[in-house]
Amino acid sequence: MAKLTMPGIHVAFTELGISAIDRGTKGTVAIIVRDAAEQAPVALTQASQTPTALGVANQEYIKRAFLGYVNPPKKVIVYTAPVEDDADLTEALGFMAIQNFDYLVGPADCTADEAAAIASWIRSQRENEGAKYKAVLPNTSVD
């Protein structure tokens, strides 16, 4: 006589394994900084990997992202935007549209118009792309 096994246990472990993979992808912060140094976008997993070519204020801004709240982020994506006064964040947001992240942080010197543009972009990504992004912006009401 064949020995019967409990198939429910296998299914439970499979489902838990899939959810563990999903939980492991959480914790990515995307940061837009403005700096005179030309810098390609980078993905960092430790504060010590912060690009030294960036200004000291931007380096500290990035390192603060690794502090986290309960848990530090697993990855920080940094996009360096140009410093010019007339430069908007369209290119930075275009880059972020093809990235996988949980939180988007605007530049340290983010203006009210830029914060509104980022908030609008986040809403658009949620409605049109099904993304679950969140943004950390100054002087902006919460959605």
Side-chain angles (χ1 to χ4, degrees), residues 1 3 14 19-20 28-29 37 52 57 65 78 81 91 101 104 107-108 110-111 123 125-126 128-129:
M1 180 186 241
K3 189 173 185 176
T14 302
S19 69
T28 301
V29 175
T52 56
V78 180
E91 190 175 318
F101 61 90
L104 175 62
C110 191
T111 65
R123 278 191 292 279
Q125 292 295 306
R126 287 179 187 164
N128 301 329
E129 305 296 329

Side-chain angles (χ1 to χ4, degrees), residues 31 33 35 37-63 66 76-80:
I31 301 177
V33 297
D35 203 280
E38 290 293 324
Q39 184 75 32
V42 293
L44 314 171
T45 56
Q46 301 175 46
S48 62
Q49 296 173 325
T50 302
T52 56
L54 296 175
V56 174
N58 282 329
Q59 289 180 40
E60 292 303 315
Y61 192 57
I62 294 165
K63 288 177 182 177
F66 279 102
V76 173
I77 301 167
V78 180
Y79 182 91
T80 306

Side-chain angles (χ1 to χ4, degrees), residues 1-128:
M1 180 186 241
K3 189 173 185 176
L4 296 176
T5 60
M6 299 182 73
I9 294 174
H10 176 69
V11 171
F13 284 131
T14 302
E15 290 172 3
L16 289 174
I18 291 169
S19 69
I21 291 169
D22 288 342
R23 288 190 310 270
T25 62
K26 300 288 185 192
T28 301
V29 175
I31 301 177
I32 301 171
V33 297
R34 282 195 185 90
D35 203 280
E38 290 293 324
Q39 184 75 32
V42 293
L44 314 171
T45 56
Q46 301 175 46
S48 62
Q49 296 173 325
T50 302
T52 56
L54 296 175
V56 174
N58 282 329
Q59 289 180 40
E60 292 303 315
Y61 192 57
I62 294 165
K63 288 177 182 177
R64 281 194 302 272
F66 279 102
L67 295 177
Y69 177 57
V70 174
N71 295 313
K74 295 185 183 315
K75 180 168 69 169
V76 173
I77 301 167
V78 180
Y79 182 91
T80 306
V83 179
E84 290 85 31
D85 291 337
D86 62 343
D88 64 10
L89 300 178
T90 305
E91 190 175 318
L93 294 175
F95 171 78
M96 293 304 175
I98 59 171
Q99 302 303 308
N100 187 13
F101 61 90
D102 300 301
Y103 291 92
L104 175 62
V105 180
D109 59 351
C110 191
T111 65
D113 290 341
E114 290 171 334
I118 293 171
S120 174
W121 182 82
I122 292 285
R123 278 191 292 279
S124 170
Q125 292 295 306
R126 287 179 187 164
E127 293 168 5
N128 301 329

